[in-house]
């Protein structure tokens, strides 16, 4: 009798996780921007049925889009709930705001007022002028952006200072800028990618990732992501991912001369 009750309870939990997973997947973009000058690619791989990673894009003006990746501390349903709240906030406050630092400041203030746990959110938020390729960006304690510079054939780590979202009352978010030219790539991701471990508990790390970005830079974004994920799985050697993996890529494919 006890075993039957346990099984019923497990079935209920399993069904609820499936429902939460469907809801969460529904919060991610159903498609990526359609633009003649830029190619886009994205991937979300939760380590469990539900996770705390998030990627998105928001049209914030006639020629401007906001692009982001975020990572909620912790796992499971609590992280998924905070991710959903974060998404609702940024969709409410990002429109017509062309300062990435101001957007993160608003998100932090509202999260801090409403999330009364020890959880926090890291986020990298980038605003791009789709005509000029000029970008401004801010980071809330997130991993650096990887920028493939075609003119120099190298990948640069670019960051901005800023604390986690939802922990501190007032945070100033540093705002930096880059311009994406023909052949350049912007690579946003969560730490589940670089922190993937193999059987020897070694990290996948940046060097291997950067090598793949350079080697496949002529490919479309979806193809580059596919090659990177194949390499990560080969590196892990069957070890299950311990954290969610999220990637969002932007590649400029034509000149706006």
């Amino acid at each position: 009798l006890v075993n039957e009750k346990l099984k019923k309870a497990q079935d209920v939990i399993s069904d609820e996780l499936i429902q939460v997973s469907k809801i969460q997947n529904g919060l991610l973009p159903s498609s990526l921007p359609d633009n003649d000058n830029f190619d886009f690619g994205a991937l979300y791989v939760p380590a469990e049925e539900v996770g705390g990673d998030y990627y998105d894009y928001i049209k914030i003006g006639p020629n401007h889009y906001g692009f982001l990746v975020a990572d909620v501390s912790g796992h499971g349903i609590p992280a998924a709930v905070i991710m959903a709240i974060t998404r609702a906030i940024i969709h409410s406050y990002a429109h017509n705001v062309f300062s990435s630092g101001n957007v993160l400041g608003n998100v932090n203030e509202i999260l801090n007022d409403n999330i009364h746990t020890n959880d926090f959110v890291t986020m990298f938020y980038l605003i791009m002028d789709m005509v000029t390729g000029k970008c401004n960006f801010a980071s809330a304690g997130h991993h650096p952006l990887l920028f493939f510079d075609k003119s120099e054939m190298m990948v640069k780590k670019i960051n901005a200072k800023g604390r986690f979202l939802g922990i501190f009352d007032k945070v100033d978010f540093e705002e930096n800028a880059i311009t994406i030219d023909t052949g350049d790539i912007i690579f946003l991701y969560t730490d589940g990618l670089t922190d993937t471990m193999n059987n020897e508990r070694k990290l996948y790390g940046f060097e291997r990732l950067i090598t793949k970005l350079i080697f496949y830079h002529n490919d479309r974004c979806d193809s580059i992501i596919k090659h990177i994920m194949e390499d990560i799985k080969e590196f892990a050697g069957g070890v299950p991912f311990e954290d969610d993996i999220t990637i969002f890529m932007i590649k400029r494919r034509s000149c706006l001369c």
Side-chain angles (χ1 to χ4, degrees):
L1 185 62
V2 172
N3 287 339
E4 285 182 12
K5 287 183 177 180
L6 282 173
K7 186 179 183 308
K8 284 182 180 178
Q10 287 172 342
D11 288 344
V12 168
I13 292 169
S14 179
D15 288 344
E16 288 179 349
L17 284 171
I18 291 170
Q19 292 302 314
V20 172
S21 177
K22 288 179 179 178
I23 292 168
Q24 186 174 41
N25 286 330
L27 296 176
L28 297 173
S30 57
S31 62
L32 297 177
D34 183 12
N35 187 285
D36 292 338
N37 302 308
F38 295 92
D39 182 40
F40 299 91
L43 176 77
Y44 171 55
V45 182
E48 302 172 6
E49 288 90 342
V50 294
D53 275 13
Y54 163 50
Y55 73 85
D56 210 344
Y57 73 92
I58 305 162
K59 187 172 176 61
I60 60 174
N63 301 313
H64 289 77
Y65 278 90
F67 302 99
L68 70 99
V69 292
D71 186 357
V72 182
S73 62
H75 298 278
I77 291 177
V81 170
I82 294 173
M83 183 275 272
I85 293 170
T86 302
R87 180 191 182 278
I89 295 169
I90 201 157
H91 273 263
S92 298
Y93 287 89
H95 296 285
N96 297 314
V97 180
F98 300 94
S99 163
S100 53
N102 286 351
V103 171
L104 290 191
N106 283 331
V107 174
N108 177 68
E109 191 173 328
I110 297 164
L111 275 178
N112 197 51
D113 287 343
N114 292 278
I115 305 297
H116 304 295
T117 66
N118 292 323
D119 298 296
F120 58 86
V121 181
T122 72
M123 183 183 292
F124 202 107
Y125 183 60
L126 177 142
I127 295 173
M128 179 185 291
D129 183 329
M130 306 298 285
V131 175
T132 64
K134 292 181 179 179
C135 310
N136 74 80
F137 60 86
S139 174
H142 202 81
H143 267 8
L145 172 155
L146 297 183
F147 182 73
F148 172 73
D149 187 332
K150 179 71 180 290
S151 66
E152 298 183 31
M153 285 298 293
M154 67 180 295
V155 173
K156 304 171 183 178
K157 292 181 186 177
I158 304 176
N159 215 341
K161 294 178 182 177
R163 292 178 170 182
F164 305 144
L165 303 173
I167 295 290
F168 305 99
D169 286 335
K170 295 291 181 183
V171 180
D172 290 325
F173 293 96
E174 180 185 18
E175 207 168 287
N176 287 334
I178 54 171
T179 298
I180 181 168
D181 294 317
T182 302
D184 291 351
I185 295 170
I186 288 171
F187 190 89
L188 302 173
Y189 57 99
T190 55
D191 59 6
L193 193 159
T194 50
D195 290 352
T196 294
M197 290 188 178
N198 63 9
N199 288 302
E200 299 173 354
R201 305 298 289 174
K202 291 182 179 178
L203 297 178
Y204 183 77
F206 282 100
E207 294 309 314
R208 193 159 172 163
L209 172 59
I210 287 170
T211 299
K212 292 297 173 187
L213 270 177
I214 295 172
F215 190 81
Y216 292 107
H217 76 271
N218 283 321
D219 287 12
R220 291 179 65 94
C221 290
D222 285 345
S223 175
I224 297 172
I225 291 172
K226 178 174 172 285
H227 287 302
I228 288 171
M229 290 308 298
E230 287 173 351
D231 191 54
I232 287 173
K233 288 172 184 174
E234 181 183 332
F235 172 82
V239 175
F241 296 147
E242 295 182 8
D243 198 1
D244 308 328
I245 293 176
T246 298
I247 297 170
F248 194 99
M249 287 184 67
I250 307 167
K251 179 179 179 180
R252 185 157 176 176
R253 58 189 178 195
S254 66
C255 178
L256 300 176
C257 302

